[in-house]
Amino acid sequence: MNLPLFLSMFIFTAFRALSEEASRPSVVKVGAIFTSKSINGRVSKVAIEAAEQDVNSDMSVLGGTKLSVTFHDSNYSGFLGILGALTFMGSDTVAIIGPQNAVMAHALSHLANELHVPLLSFTALDPTLASLQYPFFLQTAPNDHFQMTAIADMVSYFGWSKVVALFSDDDQSRNGVTALADKLVERRCKISYKAALPPDPRATPNDVAEQLSKIRMRECRVIVLLTYSATGLLVFDVAKELGMMERGYVWIASTWLSTVLDSNSPLSPRIANSIQGALTLRPHTPDSERKRAFVARWDQLSNGTVGLNPYGLYAYDTVWLIARALKRLLDQGGKISFSNNTSFTGVQGGTINLGALRRFDGGKQLLSNILETNMIGLTGPIGFPDRSALRPAFEIINVIGNGEFKQIGYWSNYSGLSVVPPEVLYIKEPVRSIANQHLDTVVWPGGTTITPRGWVFRDNGRQLLIGVPNRVSYKNFVSQVNGTNIVQGYCIDVFLAAIKLLPYTVPYRFLLFGDGHKNPSYTELVNKITIGEFDAVVGDITIVTNRTKIVDFTQPYIESGLVVVTPVKKLNSIAWAFLRPFTPLTWAIIASFFLFVGTVVWILEHRVNDEFRGPPRQQIITILWFSFSTMFFAHRENTMSTLGKMVMLIWLFVVLILTSSYTASLTSILTIRHLSSPITGIDTLITSNEPIGFQVGSFAENYLSKELDIPQFRLVALGSPNEYAKALENGTVAAVVDERPYIELFLSDHCMFAVRGQEFTKSGWGFAFPKGSPIAVDMSTAILNLSENGELQRIHNRWLSKKGCALHGSDIQSEQLPLESFWGLFVICAIVCLVSLIIYFWKMIHEFSKHFPRVSEPSEHASSRSERILNFLAFIDEKEDESRKRLKRKRNEMLSNGNGIQDELRTKGTEILDVPNGRHNGETRLR
């Protein structure tokens, strides 16, 4: 390379570098909006200043450009926060860290959209701020959507079904409650009550006491506290005074409590005592060398004024995030420039200088660089897939007393609850099943390690008002003791036995429902729960669909189902009773098959078996004897042919099935009391157009009319077992439809009636409670225990034991065995017989054709066919050995006749084609 060219290239490169350096700004301004008096505001200020210093001291980041972060104190005021943002956006600020809360974030996001200034916040974590409505707002820490998912998983893990949400009435907490409600519903839980407090820090002790008093009067004892440090500590202080930090309560606080524990250590004895037993969440940041080094620097950076919490780490990483995005912007040739916003042209701002608000020309590119960031910070890997933080995770903290706390587990969006750090689980397949969710032991309020059940009875132990049907019939189930308010019966004893198994005391009082003259409507009784008149209903309450829509039922304690009862007559024994096992058609088919199979076996055995030969009369007798003797396996004749043995094998199997079925059916007919009635079940009852009886108050009336479309005029209400009997005896009703437990008790005293057909509904009886009542679940568990230990059966025997004739009350009718029960056997047998005959005749024709020569004279064609048929019949009628001898002799005669025919044909001038080697095989070929 020559010298002039080298010098020109050097001068060009130097000039370009100087021009690029001249185009880089000396200072890039970034704003930060926080409340300096808050914990997060104090921690964030220290962390941001440290990050600013570290960025400016690292020349590989921004080179000669200095990052300048300016702070603005919003002092808990949304108005002051907006003024600070306007000040920053009027002074060529490229990005703003903050604001600290969601109230300002919603307002400032609209301004950021106009001026293209990115807003990056790690504390304004309202889930709704992640929407596409706010493209220039980015949350650099996991938002509350993930925190609410973690709380919902905790609620489900501990087995609670309801929670109370106590929250500050601002955007972030209010939207957090909405997200929590959605996540709880996914886990079949719900928020039973919402209590709102004035926005932080304006809540007063009276405000808090008023809401806590309302919560204390409710049954739910799981309280989720979504607020900030000032209000949160006040809530715990007042709750302690009201006795709401005692055993039985559960408190789950959002991440504000962990920031208090991390940044305000040691806590004052008053605060430490008031939060004992509470659970809280802390954003999880994986351990690393850089994190440990920063933690070691913290006391020097903060001068011991405040402790470090995870949001300080997010603040530090946010500054570096902006710095790296700015570096890419400058390396890509971008410029830090601002221009007037045409949207504000002509807008009269009064004393506000809207013209000073200028749009950041590189705002979109800077935002794009931020979203494309892939770096490792103090908080771990940093990136924003779908505009949300990577791998959101939380640590679950339990305050155990004196301001001390222990970590009982982790929650991650990847694997749910675990005692293993999320970093270990990231390398495994995600498993979110309940069986794989684990947490360490928790010390709950009151110092207990027993998980609270999460609810108590309302009104400080007010007695449950339990509705009981005042029955006038079937009093074995539920009845009132004469002259007293005492109730007794099978259902009552089951309830009392179950309630004794509950791990807590349940105060209750029975209240009778009904006028005592007729059975009450059970639908009306269940509806009393929905209007608050009863807290529960105990009795013979059937669990049906319409009722489950308005109340919760326990596990059924007795099976039930609708059955049909009719009057019956005993079948008289007759001389021909032995024919009853089979229907007439079945008998006819059986007889036909005996003859058919006997004939088939005779055909197959006739040529080879001497036992199947003889005069025609003797052979007919042999066929009949052989056929019907197989019924008793008493046949003397042995089968010799392979086909005959195959047919006999199948037929004897069919006979075995038929005789076994006949024996079983006949035994039943002769030994069991049989009943006869024109009504054989619900199907014949529906088509009979006869009146149908039902029990007053039962759901059977609605089922028959609505589900089975039986006209109302056919339904007759009956109030007692005696009315059942009278109506059935005098023909007022053709049948009674009622539930099996009632019918079993009825039939124990009335032996002249019986159940016809099968149950046509499947249900059970249970105790009814209001929707979402936790006691319904506990009672179900108790009923299962009663069933397992046998107590449920003992109660049943004590109240519902059957009398002597009860065994005759069930439908024991023995139906005749129809042809459909055996048609498969008959089809198989018929196929085997036909196939055997086809094989046999094919074999006979082949053998006959092989040994019997054909006569080819046309004039003798008809006589030859007749002769061949007769010869074939004679062939299959003869014994196999004799037939072979005769056919050989006949063949020789025909061959000799064939030679004479050849001479005669030659005389007539007919050309004869000789078979090679002189072999004619009985045939003469002509041309």
Side-chain angles (χ1 to χ4, degrees):
M1 181 180 296
N2 55 29
L3 183 61
L5 180 60
F6 173 78
L7 290 176
S8 61
M9 292 181 62
F10 175 78
I11 294 172
F12 174 78
T13 303
F15 177 77
R16 181 177 179 182
L18 289 174
S19 61
E20 286 182 357
E21 184 176 352
S23 64
R24 283 177 174 261
S26 57
V27 176
V28 177
K29 296 179 181 180
V30 175
I33 304 174
F34 290 94
T35 296
S36 60
K37 295 180 181 179
S38 67
I39 293 176
N40 284 337
R42 291 155 55 200
V43 171
S44 299
K45 187 175 188 300
V46 176
I48 290 173
E49 289 175 344
E52 177 187 6
Q53 180 181 355
D54 292 345
V55 168
N56 289 331
S57 63
D58 188 347
M59 297 300 293
S60 65
V61 181
L62 294 178
T65 301
K66 178 182 178 181
L67 184 69
S68 176
V69 182
T70 304
F71 288 87
H72 174 79
D73 184 7
S74 61
N75 195 24
Y76 297 105
S77 170
F79 176 71
L80 293 179
I82 293 174
L83 288 182
L86 290 173
T87 301
F88 287 144
M89 293 178 180
S91 59
D92 296 343
T93 298
V94 298
I96 295 176
I97 303 175
Q100 187 171 338
N101 61 61
V103 177
M104 288 185 287
H106 280 282
L108 295 182
S109 293
H110 295 286
L111 190 59
N113 292 345
E114 289 291 335
L115 300 180
H116 295 178
V117 177
L119 296 177
L120 291 82
S121 180
F122 46 86
T123 54
L125 301 177
D126 181 353
T128 63
L129 287 170
S131 67
L132 298 177
Q133 182 181 4
Y134 309 109
F136 279 86
F137 183 86
L138 185 65
Q139 294 165 325
T140 58
N143 68 37
D144 284 348
H145 167 84
F146 302 105
Q147 184 177 189
M148 296 306 111
T149 304
I151 293 176
D153 278 347
M154 292 168 60
V155 171
S156 177
Y157 172 80
F158 289 113
W160 303 313
S161 59
K162 295 180 181 180
V163 302
V164 171
L166 180 60
F167 61 98
S168 294
D169 197 7
D170 60 14
D171 288 348
Q172 182 156 326
S173 298
R174 191 166 49 247
N175 292 330
V177 169
T178 301
L180 175 62
D182 293 340
K183 294 301 177 182
L184 287 173
V185 168
E186 292 176 4
R187 291 152 180 79
R188 294 188 175 182
C189 306
K190 69 176 183 178
I191 297 176
S192 63
Y193 181 69
K194 298 178 182 179
L197 297 171
D200 188 75
R202 292 181 301 192
T204 65
N206 289 336
D207 296 329
V208 175
E210 180 182 357
Q211 294 299 331
L212 290 181
S213 297
K214 293 179 181 178
I215 293 173
R216 189 173 58 173
M217 297 302 293
R218 305 186 68 85
E219 64 181 21
C220 184
R221 287 294 182 264
V222 181
I223 304 169
V224 178
L225 183 57
L226 306 179
T227 183
Y228 307 94
S229 57
T231 301
L233 293 176
L234 177 60
V235 168
F236 279 116
D237 193 27
V238 176
K240 181 69 175 178
E241 295 178 358
L242 294 177
M244 298 179 67
M245 295 302 298
E246 302 298 329
R247 181 175 299 190
Y249 282 90
V250 176
W251 288 84
I252 302 176
S254 54
T255 54
W256 68 266
L257 182 54
S258 66
T259 64
V260 172
L261 296 173
D262 290 332
S263 300
N264 282 358
S265 182
L267 298 175
S268 67
R270 180 183 178 88
I271 294 176
N273 190 38
S274 66
I275 62 176
Q276 191 274 332
L279 296 177
T280 185
L281 300 176
R282 172 199 285 155
H284 174 69
T285 55
D287 192 24
S288 65
E289 288 292 338
R290 291 188 61 198
K291 177 182 174 181
R292 288 194 293 271
F294 186 77
V295 172
R297 293 172 55 198
W298 183 258
D299 285 340
Q300 180 182 357
L301 294 172
S302 64
N303 295 321
T305 58
V306 65
L308 176 64
N309 65 52
Y311 292 108
L313 303 178
Y314 283 108
Y316 183 90
D317 283 348
T318 300
V319 175
W320 274 93
L321 182 64
I322 295 174
R324 292 185 181 277
L326 284 171
K327 178 181 184 303
R328 288 187 61 193
L329 176 66
L330 296 174
D331 290 345
Q332 293 166 353
K335 296 182 180 180
I336 307 300
S337 61
F338 297 84
S339 58
N340 292 329
N341 190 346
T342 57
S343 300
F344 295 154
T345 303
V347 177
Q348 298 297 324
T351 58
I352 301 177
N353 184 13
L354 296 179
L357 301 178
R358 297 198 299 166
R359 175 177 292 171
F360 177 27
D361 296 329
K364 288 186 177 180
Q365 185 60 42
L366 178 62
L367 177 64
S368 177
N369 291 345
I370 292 173
L371 293 175
E372 293 172 1
T373 297
N374 185 9
M375 58 178 276
I376 303 296
L378 299 183
T379 59
I382 298 176
F384 300 95
D386 300 326
R387 298 180 60 88
S388 61
L390 276 176
R391 295 179 175 178
F394 293 91
E395 299 165 4
I396 302 175
I397 306 299
N398 179 209
V399 183
I400 59 177
N402 299 323
E404 299 179 0
F405 57 88
K406 69 172 183 176
Q407 184 175 309
I408 64 170
Y410 302 87
W411 177 92
S412 71
N413 196 46
Y414 184 78
S415 57
L417 300 174
S418 174
V419 294
V420 181
E423 295 76 37
V424 177
L425 299 176
Y426 288 146
I427 61 176
K428 302 179 181 180
E429 290 294 326
V431 180
R432 295 296 297 269
S433 65
I434 296 177
N436 290 279
Q437 306 294 291
H438 300 286
L439 292 175
D440 284 339
T441 303
V442 179
V443 179
W444 304 99
T448 180
T449 57
I450 301 174
T451 302
R453 68 177 185 266
W455 66 276
V456 295
F457 295 104
R458 289 183 296 177
D459 301 332
N460 295 323
R462 175 183 66 84
Q463 287 185 329
L464 292 182
L465 301 181
I466 299 178
V468 176
N470 188 9
R471 295 194 59 89
V472 297
S473 63
Y474 295 112
K475 292 189 176 183
N476 298 60
F477 296 104
V478 179
S479 63
Q480 178 186 14
V481 178
N482 293 333
T484 67
N485 291 326
I486 301 174
V487 290
Q488 62 180 8
Y490 167 73
C491 302
I492 301 300
D493 280 7
V494 173
F495 174 78
L496 295 178
I499 210 166
K500 289 179 182 178
L501 297 179
L502 298 183
Y504 46 86
T505 302
V506 179
Y508 62 87
R509 180 160 59 97
F510 291 126
L511 295 176
L512 290 169
F513 176 76
D515 57 13
H517 300 293
K518 64 178 181 179
N519 294 332
S521 169
Y522 281 37
T523 300
E524 293 181 10
L525 176 58
V526 171
N527 285 335
K528 294 293 183 180
I529 295 178
T530 62
I531 63 177
E533 187 170 332
F534 291 138
D535 298 308
V537 168
V538 170
D540 46 339
I541 312 299
T542 306
I543 303 172
V544 294
T545 304
N546 289 337
R547 295 172 185 171
T548 59
K549 293 178 180 178
I550 58 176
V551 296
D552 281 347
F553 281 95
T554 62
Q555 171 82 14
Y557 58 87
I558 187 173
E559 292 184 357
S560 182
L562 293 177
V563 294
V564 177
V565 176
T566 65
V568 293
K569 297 179 182 179
K570 183 176 180 180
L571 288 176
N572 297 322
S573 298
I574 59 175
W576 302 100
F578 68 89
L579 295 176
R580 285 180 180 169
F582 295 138
T583 63
L585 178 60
T586 306
W587 278 118
I589 296 299
I590 292 174
S592 300
F593 262 81
F594 271 109
L595 296 175
F596 174 67
V597 172
T599 303
V600 171
V601 173
W602 177 84
I603 293 173
L604 299 176
E605 296 289 321
H606 181 66
R607 299 188 73 249
V608 297
N609 195 336
D610 290 336
E611 295 182 356
F612 289 86
R613 300 188 62 78
R617 182 177 179 180
Q618 180 181 343
Q619 294 184 43
I620 294 174
I621 294 174
T622 300
I623 292 174
L624 295 176
W625 163 252
F626 178 81
S627 299
F628 291 100
S629 63
T630 56
M631 178 186 301
F632 312 102
F633 303 96
H635 52 285
R636 295 175 302 174
E637 295 80 5
N638 295 320
T639 52
M640 299 179 61
S641 67
T642 302
L643 293 176
K645 291 178 179 180
M646 181 176 67
V647 170
M648 281 301 298
L649 178 65
I650 299 301
W651 175 242
L652 290 179
F653 176 74
V654 173
V655 171
L656 175 64
I657 299 299
L658 291 174
T659 54
S660 299
S661 302
Y662 177 85
T663 302
S665 181
L666 184 61
T667 301
S668 175
I669 290 174
L670 297 179
T671 59
I672 299 178
R673 181 179 181 268
H674 283 262
L675 306 173
S676 175
S677 171
I679 303 298
T680 60
I682 187 62
D683 294 331
T684 56
L685 182 61
I686 293 173
T687 59
S688 67
N689 292 322
E690 297 288 340
I692 304 171
F694 66 90
Q695 184 182 172
V696 174
S698 170
F699 81 99
E701 178 185 12
N702 183 71
Y703 185 87
L704 293 172
S705 61
K706 295 296 194 309
E707 302 297 331
L708 302 182
D709 295 326
I710 296 177
Q712 192 68 36
F713 70 84
R714 290 184 59 194
L715 304 180
V716 179
L718 302 173
S720 67
N722 290 334
E723 291 186 25
Y724 284 15
K726 291 180 181 179
L728 290 170
E729 287 175 351
N730 59 29
T732 303
V733 296
V736 170
V737 174
D738 207 347
E739 296 180 73
R740 180 169 285 277
Y742 300 122
I743 295 304
E744 289 179 351
L745 203 58
F746 168 71
L747 294 178
S748 65
D749 292 323
H750 300 82
C751 302
M752 68 290 300
F753 308 106
V755 173
R756 307 295 285 172
Q758 302 296 320
E759 290 183 0
F760 54 93
T761 65
K762 291 293 183 181
S763 60
W765 292 354
F767 305 132
F769 291 89
K771 272 290 185 182
S773 174
I775 195 175
V777 178
D778 294 341
M779 285 291 288
S780 293
T781 303
I783 290 171
L784 289 175
N785 289 336
L786 291 176
S787 177
E788 292 172 359
N789 62 27
E791 181 62 22
L792 200 61
Q793 185 61 44
R794 286 190 287 271
I795 297 173
H796 183 278
N797 294 339
R798 184 162 60 248
W799 286 99
L800 307 177
S801 59
K802 300 175 182 179
K803 298 181 182 179
C805 68
L807 294 176
H808 304 304
S810 59
D811 184 6
I812 52 178
Q813 179 183 0
S814 176
E815 296 182 357
Q816 290 181 308
L817 298 174
L819 178 61
E820 289 77 8
S821 302
F822 308 102
W823 71 268
L825 288 173
F826 290 137
V827 169
I828 294 174
C829 183
I831 291 175
V832 171
C833 291
L834 292 176
V835 170
S836 299
L837 289 175
I838 292 172
I839 294 174
Y840 175 78
F841 282 112
W842 177 84
K843 182 179 178 182
M844 291 296 99
I845 293 172
H846 177 72
E847 186 174 348
F848 178 78
S849 300
K850 180 178 179 181
H851 296 88
F852 201 99
R854 296 178 182 176
V855 179
S856 56
E857 179 62 42
S859 61
E860 299 179 356
H861 181 72
S863 61
S864 176
R865 176 181 297 176
S866 300
E867 183 179 356
R868 285 180 62 82
I869 293 175
L870 293 175
N871 288 335
F872 178 73
L873 294 176
F875 171 74
I876 63 175
D877 182 57
E878 290 180 346
K879 193 173 180 180
E880 187 172 7
D881 294 339
E882 296 177 357
S883 176
R884 288 178 179 175
K885 293 178 181 179
R886 188 179 67 84
L887 283 175
K888 185 176 181 181
R889 184 171 59 254
K890 186 70 173 177
R891 175 175 174 273
N892 292 333
E893 294 176 356
M894 295 186 67
L895 286 175
S896 60
N897 293 336
N899 293 331
I901 293 173
Q902 288 182 4
D903 294 338
E904 182 179 353
L905 291 175
R906 287 192 183 98
T907 303
K908 296 179 179 180
T910 304
E911 182 181 358
I912 301 176
L913 297 180
D914 292 333
V915 178
N917 299 327
R919 297 179 182 178
H920 297 277
N921 290 329
E923 295 185 6
T924 301
R925 301 180 62 191
L926 306 178
R927 176 177 294 174

